Amino acid sequence: MEAAAAAAAAAAAAAVRLWVKTEPFVVGVLPAPPPARLGPHYLRKMAAYARARAAEGCFPRLSWPRWRHIACGKLQLDRGLAWLYFELFHSLLRPDPPHSLEWAEAEATCANAEELERERSKLSVDTLQFLLFLYIQQVSKVSLRTSLIGEEWPSRRTKSPSLTGKSASENKIWNDQDHRAFVQSHLLEMLELLLEPEQLSASSHSTHSSLVSYEAVCALSFLIEGTVNKSRTVHPLHELALWQSCSRQNGYSKISRAFSFPKLESWLRSCLTANPFGMTACLKSGKKLAWAQQVEGTTRRAKIACNTCVVPEVFPMVIMSQVYKQTLAKSSDTLVGAHVRIHRCNESFIYLLSPLRSVTIEKCRNSTFVLGPVQASVHVHSCDNVKVIVVCHRLSLSSTAGCTFYTLTPTQPLILSGNQAVSFAPFHTHYPMLEDHMAQVGLATLPNYWDSPMLVCKESSDTSVFRLLPPSDFYTFVIPFEMEGDTTEIPGGLPHAYQKALNQREQNVQIWQKTVKETGLTKDQRKQFQVLVETKFYEWLVQTGNRQQLDSLVPPAVGSKQAAG
């Protein structure tokens, strides 16, 4: 009977399916190698230090002043970098839009650095989750090698397909197979990071008798979630771990409210599987969207996919690749709250006018991207000569050349490694639903740090890699589509120098029109003059590439319209 009961429990436990969440990696991992002082050795020291000073605001929640002390005083991090990690984690926790707007208002009303510091001192984060957040920054290490076999992680065996048929493992932040491989490879260290001091050996490692607290498993829910019996209902790890039929496998004791360390580790490893909502599943079995047209005379075929098996607790995902020489414009429920990845698009104009969760733009050339408000982050990597127009919580860029960013953002744009000739300019457009969409994702017009980029990596410390766009080169951008809504001007307006340049240019046009009117040209001369102006204007359209944009705005023929969705 006992054997039968054990077999039944094992079968029930096998019905639990766990996976590594995409969100902490796509939104939470900084796309840059972390400082050496954020390695596992120092994080273990930080964990012990925080627990020992629980009464001082270090545990179970870590306040900003205490983290600043640990980061700057113990880990030797720059103060700006300390705040970057703290704020990045805080924003990852999906604060509701009204709360985000309240914080923006409080920050914007601070008259000086001391007042701002007082506001920041009110913030705190879950200590154990923050430790895990700092640990997974290791994903961005250039070469993460195991101590035993010296093999670079991840191995070639973990590569997953991309929309182009090539390996996508180069982007560890998006590749859910890499997320799973990372957690599997480092599960022991992460669990040890969550252990109470008395559960550790003298060398700060676990023993066979170590117990993992329920609170520690709750913290691990930051990274892991799952389902039971292939249900569409997603549960956090700590709820599934308490499922009665799993207690034999994970070693949970109701008396101690803790788990056996070796049993819990073994149970987690046996239940971890592929993320059904990750990039791999989206590419393999997601819904293919016919949003783009096949351009005549080219062999490139645009590929756009989204994961349709979405439940309310999971952000949708849209992946777009190889849009070539066309204008693609969408305002769609499919995009609302979505993680969007735009890959290998060339000579195109892409408008995604919906409130988004995050956007990654990779390996694109000679294109313009006009995005709806982005609640979390926009990351641009390995792009040449692209323009990005967006209101977003955070902007980061790496390995870009000749790119221009027109932004409204409450955080400093992050300049990572490998950038050349970057230009920053104020956000300069609007569409009718823009302010409604900003409110939906909790973004305000102040504070706005578009002109105060932060150089994050040592190799990017040369300020000559970027410039603020001169007002003389600045023009507003018109979104050429009709929509319902109330926004009729650029939210927050323009900085004085840029508005002054626009006013001067408009005044010059009026003077020119007046001069032409007063020259007393005959009817034939006016016709000749008009032909000359139109010819010069056409030449300018061709030279600047704007002719292509205008041509691509012509509605496609019946039968070849972009599909809805």
Side-chain angles (χ1 to χ4, degrees), residues 287-422:
K287 179 183 178 182
K288 303 301 184 285
L289 301 172
W291 285 359
Q293 307 160 41
Q294 176 67 17
V295 176
E296 201 171 320
T298 71
T299 58
R300 304 185 186 191
R301 182 170 295 278
K303 300 178 178 67
I304 305 173
C306 70
N307 53 355
T308 53
C309 51
V310 171
V311 293
E313 298 92 335
V314 179
F315 286 105
M317 182 177 291
V318 175
I319 301 176
M320 182 181 302
S321 185
Q322 297 190 148
V323 176
Y324 180 61
K325 282 193 173 181
Q326 61 186 284
T327 292
L328 187 156
K330 279 290 168 182
S331 181
S332 164
D333 288 343
T334 303
L335 289 169
V336 174
H339 293 293
V340 180
R341 185 184 185 197
I342 304 172
H343 183 249
R344 293 186 183 278
C345 294
N346 197 2
E347 297 180 48
S348 293
F349 299 86
I350 295 176
Y351 300 78
L352 302 179
L353 305 181
S354 295
L356 309 168
R357 176 61 177 165
S358 77
V359 178
T360 300
I361 302 173
E362 296 178 305
K363 298 185 178 179
C364 295
R365 307 285 182 269
N366 307 316
S367 297
T368 297
F369 302 94
V370 186
L371 307 173
V374 180
Q375 185 179 28
S377 61
V378 174
H379 180 59
V380 182
H381 173 69
S382 194
C383 291
D384 293 342
N385 192 33
V386 303
K387 292 183 176 70
V388 179
I389 304 169
V390 65
V391 179
C392 62
H393 180 76
R394 184 182 315 284
L395 169 71
S396 61
L397 47 143
S398 57
S399 303
T400 67
C403 297
T404 305
F405 301 90
Y406 298 85
T407 59
L408 191 168
T409 176
T411 61
Q412 292 178 274
L414 305 179
I415 300 179
L416 308 177
S417 61
N419 298 285
Q420 300 175 21
V422 177

Side-chain angles (χ1 to χ4, degrees), residues 525-542:
Q525 287 174 328
R526 284 201 301 271
K527 283 185 178 180
Q528 290 176 0
F529 184 70
Q530 184 176 351
V531 169
L532 177 64
V533 170
E534 288 177 353
T535 301
K536 290 295 183 183
F537 179 63
Y538 183 82
E539 290 175 0
W540 176 83
L541 284 176
V542 173

Side-chain angles (χ1 to χ4, degrees), residues 3 28 74-75 109 148 190 200 216 268 298 300 306 330 345 370 374 379 429 434 468 503 510 515:
K74 306 294 181 182
L75 302 178
T109 55
L148 294 177
M190 287 192 285
L200 293 167
L268 289 171
T298 71
R300 304 185 186 191
C306 70
K330 279 290 168 182
C345 294
V370 186
V374 180
H379 180 59
T429 192
L434 177 57
L468 301 184
N503 293 343
Q510 291 172 352
T515 302

Side-chain angles (χ1 to χ4, degrees), residues 220-344:
L220 203 56
S221 294
F222 167 66
L223 290 178
I224 299 174
E225 61 188 6
T227 58
V228 179
N229 293 324
K230 297 184 179 180
S231 166
R232 285 180 61 84
T233 302
V234 176
H235 298 278
L237 171 65
H238 62 273
E239 290 183 6
L240 295 170
L242 293 184
W243 200 36
Q244 189 172 359
S245 58
C246 294
S247 59
R248 184 187 294 268
Q249 278 68 41
N250 61 34
Y252 178 69
S253 166
K254 290 184 179 179
I255 299 172
S256 63
R257 287 190 79 248
F259 299 80
S260 161
F261 187 100
K263 285 189 174 182
L264 177 65
E265 183 191 4
S266 176
W267 177 72
L268 289 171
R269 291 188 186 280
S270 65
C271 293
L272 274 175
T273 184
N275 185 342
F277 309 112
M279 183 182 73
T280 305
C282 182
L283 296 177
K284 185 178 180 181
S285 55
K287 179 183 178 182
K288 303 301 184 285
L289 301 172
W291 285 359
Q293 307 160 41
Q294 176 67 17
V295 176
E296 201 171 320
T298 71
T299 58
R300 304 185 186 191
R301 182 170 295 278
K303 300 178 178 67
I304 305 173
C306 70
N307 53 355
T308 53
C309 51
V310 171
V311 293
E313 298 92 335
V314 179
F315 286 105
M317 182 177 291
V318 175
I319 301 176
M320 182 181 302
S321 185
Q322 297 190 148
V323 176
Y324 180 61
K325 282 193 173 181
Q326 61 186 284
T327 292
L328 187 156
K330 279 290 168 182
S331 181
S332 164
D333 288 343
T334 303
L335 289 169
V336 174
H339 293 293
V340 180
R341 185 184 185 197
I342 304 172
H343 183 249
R344 293 186 183 278

